[in-house]
């Protein structure tokens, strides 16, 4: 078992010699989709070594929205540095663990990889919070738009026959086909919306209006976005909030309400 585990981890590493020491590329992916990597730098005059990144990890994460200069994320970042025995140089942007003697490099490398992975989570948390914000805005606006005119159900199925494809929101109004609304927070959500539409329309012959609400055009890949545009209703929320919600309300109740 030990040998199998060692092979699983070690065979995925790429180690290259560079002027400062060694560059180590791992099989773990960062928020950019590229493999996480670090450098083993040394030995120095004291015959010790350092582990460090290339100085872009933290600047990238901050540029992408996870401000680490203050607030709760800064406290989390500082706690991570303490827990993993690392330091951060604001001038160079480098994360470092060390100095280490040669016998400690292997265990230090595992700690450094774990630190890099945990730091990626700071940006993921930020993205999830931003994502949740626009979804909550859209929900509140839709409730106002159809208030008294339709019933709203959350995390619901349109009908028992379509239980495999639950929608984020189902809007039901008297005398109108139900609207199944998906928030386009990922490619998977878009596929779920398309599958529900295909199943309802072509297999079950049921009248269902499927809506995929996107925050903006960057929410999906271009090919998937084009496919969705050609098959279902795909309003964009950010920058045209009232128009997007009005479009959904119009599909649900048959007319576009006056939203203020």
């Amino acid at each position: 078992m030990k040998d199998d585990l060692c092979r699983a981890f070690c065979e995925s590493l790429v180690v290259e010699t560079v002027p400062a020491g060694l560059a180590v590329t791992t099989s773990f992916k960062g928020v950019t989709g590229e493999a996480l990597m670090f450098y083993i730098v040394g030995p120095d005059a004291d015959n010790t070594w350092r582990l460090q990144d290339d100085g872009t990890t933290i600047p990238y994460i901050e540029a992408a929205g996870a401000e680490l200069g203050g607030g709760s994320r800064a406290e989390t970042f500082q706690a991570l540095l303490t827990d993993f025995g690392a330091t951060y140089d604001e001038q160079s942007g480098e994360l470092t663990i060390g100095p280490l003697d040669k016998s400690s490099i292997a265990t230090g490398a595992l700690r450094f990889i774990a630190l890099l992975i945990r730091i990626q989570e700071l940006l993921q948390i930020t993205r999830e919070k931003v994502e949740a914000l626009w979804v909550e805005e859209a929900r509140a606006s839709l409730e106002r738009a159809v208030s008294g005119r339709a019933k709203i159900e959350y995390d619901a199925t349109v009908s028992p026959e379509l239980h495999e494809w639950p929608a984020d929101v189902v809007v039901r109004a008297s005398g109108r086909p139900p609207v199944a609304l998906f928030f386009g927070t990922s490619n998977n959500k878009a596929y779920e919306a398309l599958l529900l539409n295909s199943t309802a329309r072509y297999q079950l012959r049921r009248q269902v209006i499927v809506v995929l609400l996107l925050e903006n055009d960057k929410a999906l890949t271009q090919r998937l976005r084009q496919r969705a545009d050609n098959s279902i209703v795909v309003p964009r929320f950010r920058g045209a909030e009232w128009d997007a919600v009005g479009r959904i309300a119009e599909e649900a109740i048959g007319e576009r309400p006056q939203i203020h």
Side-chain angles (χ1 to χ4, degrees):
M1 178 66 75
K2 180 179 178 180
D3 291 341
D4 290 340
L5 289 172
C6 287
R7 281 194 296 272
F9 283 102
C10 296
E11 290 178 0
S12 64
L13 295 178
V14 177
V15 181
E16 300 173 294
T17 301
V18 295
L22 298 173
V24 182
T25 303
T26 76
S27 60
F28 299 101
K29 303 295 184 181
V31 292
T32 63
E34 297 181 354
L36 295 178
M37 60 91 63
F38 63 94
Y39 296 93
I40 302 173
V41 180
D44 59 16
D46 297 322
N47 202 36
T48 59
W49 305 70
R50 300 189 317 276
L51 308 175
Q52 64 184 50
D53 71 343
D54 61 2
T56 64
T57 304
I58 300 304
Y60 175 84
I61 286 178
E62 290 191 308
E67 175 57 52
L68 302 179
S72 60
R73 281 191 296 273
E75 293 176 1
T76 301
F77 178 50
Q78 291 302 320
L80 286 175
L81 294 179
T82 300
D83 290 344
F84 288 93
T87 58
Y88 175 61
D89 187 327
E90 294 185 2
Q91 297 300 317
S92 66
E94 293 173 347
L95 289 164
T96 302
I97 287 180
L100 303 169
D101 58 46
K102 191 172 183 179
S103 64
S104 301
I105 291 175
T107 56
L110 291 176
R111 281 192 290 124
F112 200 76
I113 293 171
L115 172 63
L116 292 177
I117 293 172
R118 291 291 303 278
I119 286 174
Q120 308 299 309
E121 296 173 359
L122 295 175
L123 180 56
Q124 184 61 35
I125 291 170
T126 298
R127 288 176 170 172
E128 288 172 355
K129 287 182 177 179
V130 171
E131 173 186 298
L133 180 61
W134 81 263
V135 168
E136 288 305 314
E137 289 177 6
R139 284 184 175 184
S141 297
L142 181 60
E143 288 174 359
R144 290 166 50 197
V146 301
S147 178
R149 305 284 302 275
K151 178 183 178 182
I152 292 181
E153 302 171 4
Y154 292 107
D155 298 319
T157 55
V158 175
S159 66
E161 297 87 349
L162 293 167
H163 69 278
E164 293 181 342
W165 314 115
D168 294 317
V169 182
V170 175
V171 187
R172 304 181 193 274
S174 178
R176 299 283 302 174
V179 171
L181 170 62
F182 292 80
F183 295 113
T185 54
S186 67
N187 285 345
N188 284 343
K189 283 290 185 181
Y191 285 122
E192 289 173 12
L194 290 169
L195 285 168
L196 171 59
N197 182 68
S198 177
T199 303
R201 176 174 296 185
Y202 301 112
Q203 295 185 27
L204 299 180
R205 306 294 182 181
R206 294 293 181 88
Q207 280 194 308
V208 178
I209 300 171
V210 180
V211 179
L212 176 67
L213 181 62
L214 302 182
E215 182 181 16
N216 51 48
D217 277 340
K218 297 179 181 179
L220 306 177
T221 62
Q222 181 179 1
R223 178 175 295 182
L224 182 55
R225 190 174 65 248
Q226 290 174 341
R227 179 180 172 188
D229 280 329
N230 291 333
S231 304
I232 57 180
V233 180
V234 191
R236 277 65 163 176
F237 184 72
R238 193 61 68 197
E241 289 84 354
W242 300 128
D243 286 340
V245 172
R247 175 77 185 282
I248 300 169
E250 184 176 14
E251 296 289 351
I253 63 179
E255 63 183 64
R256 185 165 297 218
Q258 297 296 317
I259 306 175
H260 302 287

